Amino acid sequence: MCVFIEICALVNSMLVFLLLRNPPAETLTVFRFTGNLSVTFRIDGMGSLFAGMAAFLWPLALLYSFEYMKHEQNEKSFFLFYVITYGITLGIALAENILTMYFFFEMLSMVTLPLIMHSRTREAILASRSYLYYMLGGAAFAFIGMIFILTYGTTSSFVMGGVLDPGKIGDKTNLLLFIYVLCFCGFSVKTAMFPFSSWLPKAGVAPTPVTALLHAVAVVNTGAFAAMRVTYFSFGTELLRGTWAQNVVMTLVIITIVYGCSRALKETHIKRRLAWSTVGNLSYILFGVVLMTPLGLAGGMAHMLFHSFMKICSFFCAGAVIYQTGRNYVHELNGFGWKMPKVFVCFTVTAFALTGVPGLCGFVSKWNLCKAAVASENPLAYAGVAALMISALLTAIYMLTIVVRAFFPGRDFDCETISDVRDPNWLMILPLVVFVIVMFCFGLHSGPVIRFLQGN
Amino acid sequence: MDFVQNFPFMSIILSLFSGPLSSILSGKWAKRVNTAVIVIIGIMSACVLGYVTGTGEEFIYYMGHFPAPWGNEIRVGELEAFMALFFCAIMLLSMLGGTKERLTQIEDSKQNLYYIMVNLLLCSLLALIYTNDLFTAYVFVEINTISACGLIMIRQNGRTFEAAIRYMIMSLLGSGLLLLGICFLYSVTGHLLMSNIQQQVQLLAASGEYHIPLLVALGLMSVGLAIKSALYPFHSWLPDAYGYSTVSSAAILSSLVSKGYIFLLIKIFYRVIGFEIVCDSKVIHVLYVFGIMGMIMGSVNAIQENNIRRMIAFSSVAQIGYIYMGLGLGTEAGVVASVYHVLSHAATKSLLFVAASGLTDASGGKVRFEDLQGAGYRHRLAGIAFTVGSLSMVGLPMFSGFISKLLFSQEAVGHNHKMLPTLIALAVSTVLNAVYFMKTVITIYMPAPKDTEADRQGRNIAMAEQPGKSVALICFIILNLMLGLSSEPIIHLIQNGLEMFY
Amino acid sequence: MDIWMMLSVALPSAAGIILLAVSFLEHVRGKEKVSVKGLYVYTAAALILSVALALYTAWSGERSLTLFTLLDQIPVFFRIDDLGRMFVTIVGIAWLLTGVYSFVYMKREGGEKRFFGLYLLLFGVLTGLAFSGNLITMYLFYEMMTLVSMPMVLHNGSREAVMASLKYLFYSLCGAYGGLFGIVFLYRYCDSLTFRPGGTLNMAVVQGHEGILLAAVFVMILGFGAKAGMFPLHSWLPTAHPVAPSPASALLSGTIVKFGVLAMIRTVYYIVGPAFVRDTWVQHTWMTLTLLTVFMGSMLAYREPVLKKRLAYSTVSQVSYILFGLSLLTPDAMTGALLHTAVHAFVKCGLFLTAGVFLHRFGYTRVDQLTGMGKKVPGILWCYTIFALALIGIPPTGGFLSKWYLAEGALSSGIPVFSWLGPVALLVSALLTAGYLLPVTIKGFFPGEEAVSLDLSKEEPSPCMLIPLVILAALALFLGILPNPLIRYVGEIAGAVLS
């Protein structure tokens, strides 16, 4: 079964990459709901980046989960939904119009639900419930935004610069801004923006491959991706820049950046700590989005890409620890660095990358975000830069304490207590190593990616 | 005159007479007759629909060829024919889905009684749909009430008696108000035929005379029908009636009976008073406000429920709120959305009732949530069906609920004052819907802990064990997907139908 | 493309990484080989080669190298200029001498492989930092420096050391992010981030944004000040130094804090330009902070009983002398600051190494335990005395000269209040310095009544420990007696940036 799934995923990824290399110019309409509302696909720069990312990560994550899922039950249903999610993520990436995106957006919430409640424990059920409430609630508000786009826009397709028809707007600008705020918040529920962030740490009860790939990468990034689409391609930055709406969303985003990191600092459960860290980092992306400049978009996209690698890698490390030893809390990790050297070396690199050490990819995206923020000459954006710096420091604290604990347990630590701890087998290590290499590559040679993003 | 034009009248008569016929038959045969009647009427309605769509205009059928005001008229447009067809389909599936329950929950001696009621109900519904005469409408409203009471009461336990009496009282109050409204209109205009009244009302409205009596008449009729279709503050009869009656009854009551009244109200708006006049009056604002309140409060009540049947019943309150909210927008497109929601809700709600009964079957007949744990695994089809129904209620794309939500909000966006409240109410109500429906879905897919009540009572039910229910559920799911995926022709049809109302 | 220039960075880094990897693998496998001799030979060879190479590269003229592009148009760019050359020389000397010392010292601490691995790696990083030609490259090596020096602090692995190292790490990172915050703004308002004496600010773009830019510069000063132990981010020093092995504290105090100074010079004099900062609230606040730190550091050192902590507070105070000199923005003051950088580097390095001797030989940490040391280890205590005098600023040591220039710069700067407040603070602080350093000498040579109960037999340490101290002491004296080449050299630097 494993081989079959892996081959499927690989072939699919190949196809995606092939498609991205030779992007067809025309759009593909699958079917129509009503009138001009249809499910349509198209490949553009942003979408291809997201699709490429998903296509790259999925086979690796699958490899990891084959090993990981051995100690969970119901592997079949797990892989069923895991693979479906792949398709739906691609659907979001390649959506041509807002309806298609919304359609897949909702589907994604539904399909990932069984993955969260996979273990069927009371905790998992509660988590999946709150996950669902948040998701559907968010979608309900995003829906309002979509309706407005459909009504006030010239077309439902995504067009860089927005599709709103000035003639139709008339004196309703303020209303439209209000709707934008609603819509943005609605989509950002998926990226766990404050005050809608509490679902993400709770969803950490899912098996680690899910937390890693979905709740650090695919699902949450679709939220950010959707926010980008509505901001840049539907509402248009012309209308939004410099308005109170921008200030409102930016304030929320900045609060989230600091809030997420602070909560991560307080948390002692590894996966939940990483989840809170995700909350903070996703808001970096959103920060890029709400700058409402092309540079900001590029920065946000870059962070989306880089953060995916960093966070999936750190989650996989955490998962490897849980899989091998069943330990869940940070204070149980004393001395693990020497017993699971491969995992923890990877984790250390990831920690540095997340912190934003130059030479690793986290620095590049942070730099681009800050640069864009300064260039936007918005006083609030300056505050955002400060928030990014504070968050970087907090990130250093909560990540590096783990590293130090793992490698320097203290002189009086008795190594015998963890003598049975081992590195996992190659299925788990290979993805980690690949991610670390990717982090270095992007960190040292980010030019092409950034140029590609700015070319959008 | 084409032969097809006789079909509406024939279908009314057919169902009317099959009622008394059932009384002399045994339960089994009554059931067969009933099924046959529904199927035949369904086919006839389809023919009518085809005919009307073909000619592109409605036709008027004079009973006994007496023209008004002496004769009784039937007026058939696309929408009417489609509604008849749709109602037949839903009724057939609902009956199919509740076959087993009817056998066990209804005394043997009263089996055929049930089918009498169903036949009469169908007859009254068809009459409400087709008739062009207000008084005829009133008569059938009463028949409808009585047969509906029978449907509730036929499963004999204390709760249903109480529920039936409540329903009876509230319904009679509603019909009383309706009757008063009709009297007012009659005294002002001197007519009972809808088209005639409309002409008079137009004249009166143009001259500005009898403004208040007209308003009162409109108000009385609206409120009367609103009570009967359980609009929010008048919904107290509904949860018990739907929650404790047998499945088929609950499904039919929730998806057809209340919708029949709503259809009648729409007809009154268009045919009797004239839509412009209705829109100018304050009545629609009242309906709008009550609709919004219903959307929210129905869901809030549903969240507090611990009984799956009652929860679905309360959800009906919310959904009827949607429909009235659509009417209350006071635009053509709003009405289109409402009619679409009538369809989508009818298809979904009966699906949910049938699926819920499947789930309770798999849990030893218990309806409380803690007993339903893991029911989705024990009765797979019911679990899937319930999930589909829930997703549709929450308004997920692909399912029917999404389209009506889309139509409502698209219409609301164009509105000046009602836009924001509508949109926000829609969003909030979606969230609330999600809360209770998805909670239930998660519950039924959560394996029951070992050695609990739910674990011991539960038994696995295969699809083949309840063929009727399985077929019904599958058809419902397909219907739901159809409404969700290829909504365009249906919306066209509704628009054309409403055009013909003028 | 002068790729050979990179060799001076790459060689020690590679040597260090190899050593670290070996140590890591051995630790993972659980069997640590104690092949001390081979290790020493390897380290010594690598160290000598690296230092020689670094010095050669530094003094072989103006060279520059663009390695690759890290971010948009910003390459990793190296260029050797006068300032970098000076810092590399200081670091090279300190490294060589401390290296010799630690061969003996580290036997007691254990974990030599890791220590020397980091030691070499850190040298490579510092060389890179000194050679950095633009702000981003500097930032890159600045972060590296923090990350590499942090494991040195927690070397002995005790809970206390781990906590201290984390404190050091977070203070440093906090400072680094403050720096990055400013860099982001400078990127927008500067022509380029490549260092140029006098600054690269693009005044046309700055127009109208002076406020935010000044704030950014101030944040940078605060940020880099963290490394240099400037108030309010100074408190990592007294925590980190006592727990680190003495050679590590010597390097931290002697050289690494200086790189905070370097970063500040690069920012203020080579990117922003002194003209932009002069007479703004930034300059005034900066001066206030440095004077506050000077005074506060001395006071805290004065009442501190633990020797290494006392020295750490002394570093806080002394490095702020340098910073005060920089904040005056006059050529004289800057000359003084650079002189003091050199002097303090050698002196503080020496002081920590002497403290290490006391610790290593006798296990003494507190000042009151040092009574009678003059009889036990006279050579060491003589060195200590010379360092103390140099730090206080008594002629003919180097300290006198640098303080003279600092005071002169302050008096001639013409800034109201500060022009006289600065020298006063320096003077008071010098008195306090005498107060906290000299008791050791006095009690050491003249134990008085208490000496009766002490065992005062002579126990000179091994020459490996003594010789580096003697050389350092000689350097401290030499800088005071024959200061002219150095004064001319730093005078040129100051002249170039402040012309």
Side-chain angles (χ1 to χ4, degrees), chain A residues 337-338 341 345 352 355-359 363-364 366-368 370-371 374-375 377 382 385-386 389 392-393 396-397 400-401 404-405 407-411 443-447 450 454, chain C residues 23-24 27-28 68-72 74 114 136 139-140 143-144 147 150-151 154 156-159 162 165-166 169-170 173-174 177-178 180-181 183-185 187-189 193 209 212:
Chain A
W338 304 111
V345 166
F352 286 148
T355 312
V357 172
F363 176 69
V364 178
K366 265 181 214 177
W367 170 262
N368 278 293
C370 291
K371 194 179 75 175
V374 172
E377 294 189 354
Y382 296 158
V385 177
M389 294 303 155
L393 181 66
I397 296 179
L400 294 184
T401 42
V404 169
R405 196 178 271 284
F407 282 108
F408 305 104
R411 239 185 332 202
L444 293 175
H445 193 62
S446 55
I450 301 294
Q454 284 172 351
Chain C
S23 141
F24 181 76
H27 198 133
V28 166
F68 63 93
T69 309
L70 189 70
L71 296 164
D72 355 65
I74 311 170
R114 192 172 80 215
I136 291 294
Y139 179 76
L140 185 127
E143 286 257 28
M144 296 280 176
L147 295 176
M150 171 253 196
L154 56 63
N156 71 21
S158 66
R159 190 91 208 112
V162 171
S165 72
L166 284 178
L169 179 69
F170 298 144
L173 284 179
C174 183
Y177 291 129
L180 184 61
F181 178 83
I183 294 176
V184 172
F185 282 88
Y187 176 72
R188 166 117 177 105
Y189 295 114
L193 290 184
H209 297 96
I212 184 70

Side-chain angles (χ1 to χ4, degrees), chain B residues 248-275:
Chain B
S248 308
S249 308
I252 292 174
L253 283 171
S254 68
S255 48
L256 301 185
V257 176
S258 53
K259 305 302 180 300
Y261 297 133
I262 290 170
F263 192 74
L264 181 61
L265 185 62
I266 295 174
K267 266 172 72 163
I268 289 176
F269 279 178
Y270 272 86
R271 287 246 172 104
V272 181
I273 312 286
F275 197 57

Side-chain angles (χ1 to χ4, degrees), chain C residues 182-371:
Chain C
I183 294 176
V184 172
F185 282 88
L186 291 181
Y187 176 72
R188 166 117 177 105
Y189 295 114
C190 287
D191 289 330
S192 79
L193 290 184
T194 310
F195 299 135
R196 196 174 67 205
T200 62
L201 224 50
N202 184 342
M203 292 316 282
V205 188
V206 174
Q207 206 73 43
H209 297 96
E210 287 88 353
I212 184 70
L213 192 59
L214 278 177
V217 171
F218 183 65
V219 172
M220 285 182 91
I221 288 174
L222 277 188
F224 291 132
K227 198 96 208 180
M230 189 175 81
F231 179 84
L233 293 175
H234 63 282
S235 71
W236 63 270
L237 274 156
T239 316
H241 281 114
V243 295
S246 293
S249 354
L251 295 179
L252 269 181
S253 230
T255 53
I256 289 183
V257 290
K258 302 299 182 305
F259 280 89
V261 175
L262 175 71
M264 227 182 268
I265 299 177
R266 291 292 196 196
T267 312
V268 175
Y269 290 90
Y270 285 80
I271 293 289
V272 183
F276 184 71
V277 183
R278 187 169 288 134
D279 289 334
T280 59
W281 63 270
V282 173
Q283 192 194 6
H284 295 143
T285 322
W286 189 14
M287 276 193 286
T288 316
L289 283 177
T290 51
L291 287 181
L292 193 66
T293 319
V294 166
F295 188 67
M296 187 194 69
S298 300
M299 287 303 280
L300 287 170
Y302 188 69
R303 42 186 294 269
E304 177 59 57
V306 178
L307 181 58
K308 278 174 92 175
K309 255 190 177 167
R310 181 178 284 190
L311 294 178
Y313 277 124
S314 155
T315 304
V316 171
S317 155
Q318 295 292 328
V319 174
S320 277
Y321 276 59
I322 305 174
L323 297 183
F324 175 67
L326 294 179
S327 68
L328 287 169
L329 303 173
T330 61
D332 272 350
M334 186 167 174
T335 312
L338 289 174
L339 273 178
H340 201 63
T341 307
V343 173
H344 181 253
F346 299 133
V347 166
K348 196 43 71 61
C349 199
L351 279 171
F352 269 106
L353 293 183
T354 42
V357 174
F358 300 143
L359 190 67
H360 180 251
R361 296 285 297 180
F362 310 106
Y364 293 161
T365 54
R366 295 160 58 86
V367 174
D368 52 18
Q369 294 168 320
L370 299 177
T371 314

